[in-house]
Amino acid sequence: ETGVTQTPRHLVMGMTNKKSLKCEQHLGHNAMYWYKQSAKKPLELMFVYSLEERVENNSVPSRFSPECPNSSHLFLHLHTLQPEDSALYLCASSWGLAGGGETQYFGPGTRLLVL
Amino acid sequence: TQLLEQSPQFLSIQEGENLTVYCNSSSVFSSLQWYRQEPGEGPVLLVTVVTGGEVKKLKRLTFQFGDARKDSSLHITAAQPGDTGLYLCAGAAIRGSQGNLIFGKGTKLSVKP
């Protein structure tokens, strides 16, 4: 059973809207991640936080802004998005950093549609 | 750029059949993970393989890591409708970002009763 929750599960927004995605992990993990999952593309890592410090930012447009107020919560703030940003946004957490082979636990995702 | 190529992209089979999914790269990975993702859910880890040549079994699922740690396979015996889902492989680079797993595009499996 996943200990990672995400809200909302579905979101429809216009290109001029501002919205936020929320992720919460109940596993006591130190690292948290945002991924983007689009059809016909591999999972794309967007942001990585370890002990509340951002350790990776994979050239993500500035219209996506992450926030990690503590080790249990992760937000993704969205503003002036484009239709091509429509995708499933997945949050994950792990004890250590995933590049070291750590198991990641994923949330159910937020299905985002930008009109 | 490191890439993981998964094949096939889509697979539709009848219950009881066997199947194999492949994950290939020209890069060497320190470890490789297999995930299954069901509709409306996030990926769930099935297994991590670490040693070249390693074989791990999980009930009807058999995972193998290539000797050179560049490729992996997932074999399902006597598939069942409950095996339906998206199967993802993900590799941890030997020299790369500590936060980054490289994911394949996935294999979408449909098992019909």
Side-chain angles (χ1 to χ4, degrees):
Chain A
E1 182 183 352
T2 181
V4 182
T5 57
Q6 289 187 244
T7 54
R9 293 294 306 273
H10 301 273
L11 179 62
V12 180
M13 60 187 288
M15 288 190 283
T16 58
N17 291 158
K18 287 185 181 181
K19 297 285 184 184
S20 294
L21 309 185
K22 179 183 176 182
C23 175
E24 184 173 359
Q25 58 99 357
H26 314 274
L27 301 167
H29 288 166
N30 296 319
M32 296 188 77
Y33 313 78
W34 279 117
Y35 284 90
K36 176 183 178 183
Q37 188 174 35
S38 307
K40 299 182 182 179
K41 285 187 178 181
L43 236 63
E44 297 173 60
L45 179 66
M46 300 175 73
F47 300 103
V48 182
Y49 278 81
S50 177
L51 298 172
E52 302 150 44
E53 295 289 327
R54 190 191 302 181
V55 298
E56 185 121 358
N57 175 357
N58 285 341
S59 302
V60 179
S62 60
R63 56 186 183 269
F64 295 92
S65 175
E67 179 191 359
C68 187
N70 55 62
S71 60
S72 298
H73 293 87
L74 187 64
F75 295 89
L76 188 62
H77 304 299
L78 316 171
H79 63 98
T80 59
L81 293 193
Q82 304 298 311
E84 60 264 29
D85 296 321
S86 299
L88 181 68
Y89 288 84
L90 290 162
C91 173
S93 70
S94 61
W95 286 109
L97 289 172
E102 289 277 346
T103 300
Q104 290 186 78
Y105 294 80
F106 285 85
T110 295
R111 176 68 64 185
L112 174 66
L113 178 61
V114 182
L115 300 175
Chain B
T1 304
Q2 291 178 297
L3 289 174
L4 271 172
E5 300 287 341
Q6 279 190 248
S7 61
Q9 283 189 52
F10 301 94
L11 195 52
S12 182
I13 61 172
Q14 293 295 128
E15 182 176 1
E17 291 184 21
N18 301 333
L19 68 115
T20 302
V21 175
Y22 299 94
C23 181
N24 296 301
S25 177
S26 58
S27 303
V28 178
F29 293 97
S30 61
S31 65
L32 197 136
Q33 300 176 338
W34 284 93
Y35 291 82
R36 180 169 67 214
Q37 184 176 15
E38 298 184 18
E41 299 297 330
V44 175
L45 181 71
L46 296 173
V47 78
T48 300
V49 285
V50 178
T51 307
E54 182 176 4
V55 177
K56 280 193 174 178
K57 291 193 175 184
L58 187 66
K59 296 184 181 177
R60 294 175 293 100
L61 277 61
T62 301
F63 304 86
Q64 186 162 8
F65 201 13
D67 291 341
R69 291 183 291 151
K70 293 183 180 181
D71 53 85
S72 181
S73 63
L74 158 60
H75 182 80
I76 301 180
T77 304
Q80 298 178 0
D83 295 327
T84 293
L86 179 68
Y87 288 81
L88 298 163
C89 64
I94 288 182
R95 282 178 308 193
S97 167
Q98 278 294 297
N100 211 349
L101 283 178
I102 310 297
F103 278 86
K105 290 184 182 180
T107 294
K108 195 167 185 179
L109 172 66
S110 174
V111 182
K112 300 184 190 320

